[in-house]
Amino acid sequence: MYEAAKLLYNNISNFARLASTLVHLGEYQAAVDSSHKANSTETWKEVCFACVDGQEFRLAQLCSLHIIIHADELEELIYYYQDRGYFEELMSLLEAALGLERAHMGMFTELAILYSKFKPQKMPEHLELFWSRVNIPKVLKAAEQAHLWAELVFLYDKYEEYDNAVLTMMSHPIESWKEGQFKDFIAKVANIELYYKALQFYLDYKPLLINDLLLVLSPRLDHARTVSFFSKDAMQHASESRDPELAEKLLQWFLEEGKWECFAASLFTCYDLLHPDVVLELAWRHNLMDFAMPYFIQVMREYLNKVDKLDALESLHKHKEHVGEPAPLVFDFDGHE
């Protein structure tokens, strides 16, 4: 008997019950007006949810602005919209709420999460304007799940997680790498292993800029380790080039620089490109026979194996030559052998 209840509640000014009654009658605008007079969070929620169900989203938004200012009510409100698939309307509601005097962190955070899922193109501007008002760990997780790598790096920067920022840029350079930003971050990382990962990243991705990176990192690098790092890369490059001349030049450079360990290592990295007589001469002239001996042992083993195989083939060939054709069987006229 909603019509009768409407008259009674209106007559006694019970606006909370009147709003509830008007919702059942489908009089949503009047229900919103009664909610204003009742000024109760529970009343606002009841009318808001009824308007959502009735797809009266403009009125639902008016009600929501009175609910959303209470941080502990935000989760239920968001769930009600999302559970019914009204994501666009929910984002419009949160956008309208950002200008409220009592806007709180939850609003900015939840809107960022929604943008990451449904409007990623709006994420950069939202974070640029409101990064200080969002719950960064929650938005970081949402950005990572949505593969928004540039936004992830932006948030890591604001959260001062420079190690993660650098790792993200190296893992997803197309979307997130910026030269100036990367050099700024790499100078602030806590894990020094990232220096050497960054060097390898530049060699693979931006080799022409490696000198710029070294200028930034040189005060922080272990110079001996860095030289070894580049020596290893040079050996790998020489090996992959399949150029014997390049491999021999690299050996000579190691000797000129006094890098005996690199000389020894390159003998195996570029093993099949080097001529043993050249290696022998270089090792003898620089008094490095001890460093080269493992190489010569390997060369000798291979030569002996080849000789053994040749001997076996020669023996087999001689054996075949000494074996004559099988004698034919001869029968006499009586059929006896």
Side-chain angles (χ1 to χ4, degrees):
M1 299 173 64
Y2 295 122
E3 288 290 350
K6 171 183 172 181
L7 294 172
L8 290 170
Y9 287 134
N10 187 52
N11 192 47
I12 63 174
S13 300
N14 188 336
F15 297 113
R17 300 305 302 157
L18 177 59
S20 179
T21 302
L22 291 169
V23 161
H24 287 291
L25 291 170
E27 298 179 20
Y28 297 110
Q29 181 62 65
V32 172
D33 295 338
S34 292
S35 297
H36 274 287
K37 295 174 182 178
N39 198 24
S40 160
T41 300
E42 288 302 316
T43 302
W44 283 121
K45 284 167 61 176
E46 182 181 0
V47 175
C48 173
F49 295 160
C51 289
V52 170
D53 292 338
Q55 297 190 355
E56 293 285 347
F57 295 113
R58 183 185 65 82
L59 295 175
Q61 181 170 311
L62 290 175
C63 298
S64 297
L65 295 178
H66 294 274
I67 304 167
I68 204 170
I69 55 177
H70 304 288
D72 55 343
E73 301 288 352
L74 180 60
E75 184 177 353
E76 183 183 1
L77 181 66
I78 288 175
Y79 177 79
Y80 202 89
Y81 273 82
Q82 285 188 332
D83 191 50
R84 288 153 181 78
Y86 298 134
F87 303 108
E88 190 72 36
E89 291 76 13
L90 178 57
M91 286 185 283
S92 297
L93 160 62
L94 288 168
E95 288 168 351
L98 297 187
L100 295 175
E101 185 178 344
R102 295 174 62 184
H104 52 81
M105 180 179 286
M107 300 179 190
F108 295 94
T109 301
E110 293 300 333
L111 183 55
I113 293 171
L114 286 166
Y115 280 158
S116 74
K117 295 177 181 177
F118 306 110
K119 286 191 176 180
Q121 69 275 13
K122 286 198 169 187
M123 268 287 272
E125 182 183 5
H126 182 71
L127 294 178
E128 190 71 40
L129 292 173
F130 304 118
W131 67 266
S132 62
R133 304 192 68 177
V134 303
N135 182 325
I136 291 182
K138 287 185 69 174
V139 181
L140 275 171
K141 184 178 180 181
E144 185 173 15
Q145 289 176 342
H147 295 180
L148 299 177
W149 309 120
E151 289 77 8
L152 193 64
V153 169
F154 178 87
L155 289 168
Y156 279 138
D157 176 24
K158 300 304 181 184
Y159 208 45
E160 298 185 0
E161 288 195 4
Y162 301 114
D163 292 50
N164 285 330
V166 165
L167 286 170
T168 301
M169 294 176 95
M170 290 192 293
S171 299
H172 308 281
I174 295 176
E175 301 90 344
S176 63
W177 182 84
K178 295 179 181 177
E179 182 187 2
Q181 196 177 44
F182 186 89
K183 289 191 293 186
D184 180 48
F185 292 165
I186 196 66
K188 299 176 182 178
V189 298
N191 183 1
I192 62 173
E193 292 300 315
L194 290 177
Y195 298 158
Y196 304 98
K197 288 185 179 181
L199 290 174
Q200 187 62 58
F201 167 73
Y202 264 63
L203 286 172
D204 296 338
Y205 184 68
K206 290 288 183 181
L208 297 181
L209 300 177
I210 190 71
N211 288 338
D212 294 338
L213 181 64
L214 285 170
L215 288 174
V216 175
L217 293 180
S218 57
R220 303 170 177 82
L221 291 170
D222 179 332
H223 289 189
R225 180 176 175 183
T226 304
V227 170
S228 177
F229 171 86
F230 282 110
S231 297
K232 180 180 178 182
D233 187 75
M235 286 186 278
Q236 190 66 32
H237 175 73
S239 176
E240 293 174 356
S241 73
R242 313 310 302 159
D243 184 350
E245 183 180 355
L246 180 61
E248 290 180 9
K249 286 183 178 179
L250 182 61
L251 274 186
Q252 292 172 352
W253 185 83
F254 284 146
L255 293 173
E256 291 169 4
E257 296 295 319
K259 302 185 185 305
W260 316 135
E261 292 81 4
C262 293
F263 169 80
S266 63
L267 294 180
F268 287 93
T269 305
C270 305
Y271 180 84
D272 56 342
L273 300 178
L274 298 171
H275 298 291
D277 59 321
V278 173
V279 175
L280 180 62
E281 180 184 353
L282 291 173
W284 176 75
R285 286 172 56 189
H286 292 82
N287 196 26
L288 295 175
M289 291 303 293
D290 288 346
F291 285 89
M293 189 53 65
Y295 166 81
F296 288 122
I297 291 173
Q298 181 66 25
V299 169
M300 184 63 70
R301 181 180 294 115
E302 286 195 3
Y303 282 175
L304 289 175
N305 287 341
K306 289 178 181 179
V307 170
D308 289 343
K309 288 180 180 179
L310 288 173
D311 287 344
L313 288 173
E314 186 176 358
S315 298
L316 180 63
H317 181 68
K318 288 180 178 179
H319 177 72
K320 287 182 177 180
E321 287 182 347
H322 284 86
V323 176
E325 293 293 329
L329 297 177
V330 179
F331 297 90
D332 60 20
F333 292 102
D334 296 328
H336 298 291
E337 186 178 330

